[in-house]
Amino acid sequence: MKSLYLTATAAALLVTPAAAEMTDGKIKIGVLNDQSGVYSALGGTGSLEAVKMAAEEFGGKIGDAPIEVVGADHQNKADIGSNIARQWYDTEQVDTIFDLTTSSVALAVRAISDEKKKITMVTGGGTTELTGKACSPYGFHWAYDTHALAVSTGGALVKAGGDSWYFLTADYAFGYSLEENTTKTVEGAGGKVLGNVRFPIGATDYSAFLLQAQASGAKVVGLASAGMDTQNQIKQAAEFGITAGGQNLAGLLLMITDVHGLGLQAAQGLYLTESYYWDRNDASRAFAQKYKERTGAMPSMVQAATYSAARQYLKAIEAAGTDETEAVAAKLHEMPVQDAFAENGKVLANGRMVSDVYLFQVKKPEESKGEWDYYNLIATIPGEEAYMKAEDSGCALVK
């Protein structure tokens, strides 16, 4: 009888290893981002819905462990983001934090997550520091970064003759990183940077900054910003006649939500780099239509990446048979990424997920076949070319 009991017990453990090995009986994912400010359209509650979609694909649980998803607004402030992260980890049993739009918040939360040995999946923050000097064995960077944006958009404009630049730069880690990476690309191609000016997140009047850019005589005005900041700069640049006067605007981080907000009349002709577009292939279209049914909009690059990251995180738990951080992080480094967001993606030693990125040009109004049909594909940049090599990133984990 004792032998039969042991055999039955062993068999039960084999049937539900994931449920038996969960550290607290559940899997809890936190989505921490800007839900009310200038970046809310590109991430916001849309990223929360994307994670819920991924959880539903697993039936809302792994083994017997339910998947819970919670969200919060960090208001683009590192101190608020840090306080939420500590509360989630210390009292609310959150296992991992996703999105982290705004690089300064992402860096602050990454530091706390390292201290607590928790996984972060950054999709909204863009600074290369996340896989450079601030890299972590538990940290992953899943969507764009400033190096990829600089290589693609910046590189294309220099080749097209835009060999002198002036930057309008968001005054925090993301803006600095984007300006720095684009400067290297421009100067490496023989161009020059004539100057820069920095502005606070959420500014509404860019007239003084744009006049400085106009007076510089630079062929390209590089907008090292994102979200509503970039939209407002583009609108106000038109009012000052900057593009009509022969200068080109480079929206170094533009997403489909920005083009939608601007409208094709204002956005037409702009070059931009994304690692996802809803109308690129059958898989991207299928995901986008399901997402649109839930939210009323097509997903941005960040929202699609957050879905992908959540799906991969849950797959890693399933493969590891546990949600223990070390085991899940190891699986995330090992497993290829193949989904609606990325084809043949892979995770480098510094946590950078590498997949192809795409240079698009915004269509003219008469070219568009309907709402959300906004892009012409100009070039596909292989991930190995778009992203920095792990050994060049400055990450101490890379040997």
Side-chain angles (χ1 to χ4, degrees):
M1 290 295 292
K2 183 177 181 181
S3 176
L4 286 172
Y5 172 78
L6 291 173
T7 301
T9 302
L13 290 172
L14 287 171
V15 171
T16 57
E21 296 295 332
M22 295 302 163
T23 53
D24 57 9
K26 66 178 181 294
I27 301 158
K28 195 167 183 179
I29 299 171
V31 179
L32 183 57
N33 58 14
D34 175 3
Q35 297 185 6
S36 58
V38 294
Y39 305 145
S40 56
L42 61 88
T45 56
S47 286
L48 191 65
E49 285 301 312
V51 174
K52 290 177 180 178
M53 288 176 69
E56 288 166 13
E57 289 185 11
F58 286 77
K61 61 182 180 179
I62 294 178
D64 291 333
I67 303 167
E68 297 181 20
V69 183
V70 296
D73 184 353
H74 59 45
Q75 300 174 47
N76 297 313
K77 296 178 180 177
D79 57 342
I80 292 175
S82 297
N83 289 338
I84 293 169
R86 284 195 184 278
Q87 180 180 333
W88 274 358
Y89 290 147
D90 292 343
T91 66
E92 298 184 28
Q93 296 180 306
V94 168
D95 297 302
T96 179
I97 297 179
F98 281 61
D99 192 340
L100 294 168
T101 309
T102 313
S103 293
S104 52
V105 180
L107 290 165
V109 172
R110 167 69 64 80
I112 294 167
S113 301
D114 286 354
E115 174 192 326
K116 304 290 184 181
K117 292 191 174 180
K118 299 287 189 178
I119 287 171
T120 56
M121 305 285 279
V122 179
T123 53
T127 178
T128 50
E129 283 189 35
L130 289 161
T131 49
K133 63 183 181 182
C135 71
S136 162
Y138 318 120
F140 298 88
H141 202 177
W142 215 256
Y144 71 99
D145 68 22
T146 54
H147 185 273
L149 299 175
V151 167
S152 183
T153 308
L157 287 169
V158 175
K159 287 179 183 177
D163 56 4
S164 62
W165 287 60
Y166 188 95
F167 288 99
L168 269 64
T169 302
D171 194 11
Y172 73 104
F174 161 73
Y176 311 152
S177 184
L178 186 49
E179 180 187 323
E180 179 185 359
N181 280 281
T182 307
T183 295
K184 288 178 181 177
T185 298
V186 169
E187 292 179 346
K192 55 186 175 181
V193 174
L194 303 183
N196 69 350
V197 64
R198 292 176 174 172
F199 63 88
I201 294 175
T204 55
D205 182 2
Y206 296 93
S207 56
F209 310 126
L210 288 166
L211 287 171
Q212 290 180 58
Q214 190 174 41
S216 74
K219 293 180 182 177
V220 179
V221 179
L223 308 179
S225 54
M228 285 299 299
D229 284 336
T230 303
Q231 290 184 45
N232 287 332
Q233 290 161 14
I234 291 170
K235 290 174 183 176
Q236 292 178 32
E239 294 170 7
F240 280 101
I242 287 178
T243 50
Q247 289 176 296
N248 292 308
L249 295 179
L252 294 169
L253 178 56
L254 275 174
M255 298 188 205
I256 196 166
T257 45
D258 301 310
V259 175
H260 190 71
L262 286 164
L264 288 181
Q265 189 63 42
Q268 61 181 309
L270 288 171
Y271 288 91
L272 54 91
T273 298
E274 300 227 41
S275 45
Y276 171 87
Y277 177 47
W278 72 269
D279 199 21
R280 198 178 63 79
N281 60 26
D282 289 343
S284 62
R285 282 187 285 271
F287 164 70
Q289 290 300 332
K290 289 180 182 177
Y291 180 90
K292 188 172 185 289
E293 288 170 9
R294 296 173 72 116
T295 66
M298 288 300 183
S300 72
M301 169 174 61
V302 167
Q303 290 154 348
T306 306
Y307 160 80
S308 171
R311 188 173 180 272
Q312 196 76 356
Y313 175 75
L314 295 171
K315 284 177 66 178
I317 291 175
E318 197 171 54
T322 178
D323 64 351
E324 191 275 323
T325 296
E326 301 279 358
V328 175
K331 287 296 180 183
L332 285 168
H333 277 281
E334 294 170 10
M335 294 165 51
V337 183
Q338 185 74 36
D339 55 30
F341 175 76
E343 295 179 73
N344 304 313
K346 61 181 180 181
V347 176
L348 304 182
N350 61 351
R352 173 70 257 175
M353 197 281 282
V354 170
S355 61
D356 292 348
V357 300
Y358 309 97
L359 178 67
F360 296 107
Q361 187 173 27
V362 179
K363 290 182 174 183
K364 298 175 182 177
E366 60 270 23
E367 292 179 297
S368 176
K369 297 176 183 176
E371 190 179 38
W372 300 103
D373 177 30
Y374 293 156
Y375 295 167
N376 286 317
L377 177 64
I378 303 301
T380 298
I381 299 92
E384 291 78 7
E385 296 178 16
Y387 293 103
M388 197 180 300
K389 291 181 173 60
E391 55 268 29
D392 297 332
S393 67
C395 173
L397 299 173
V398 180
K399 299 179 181 178

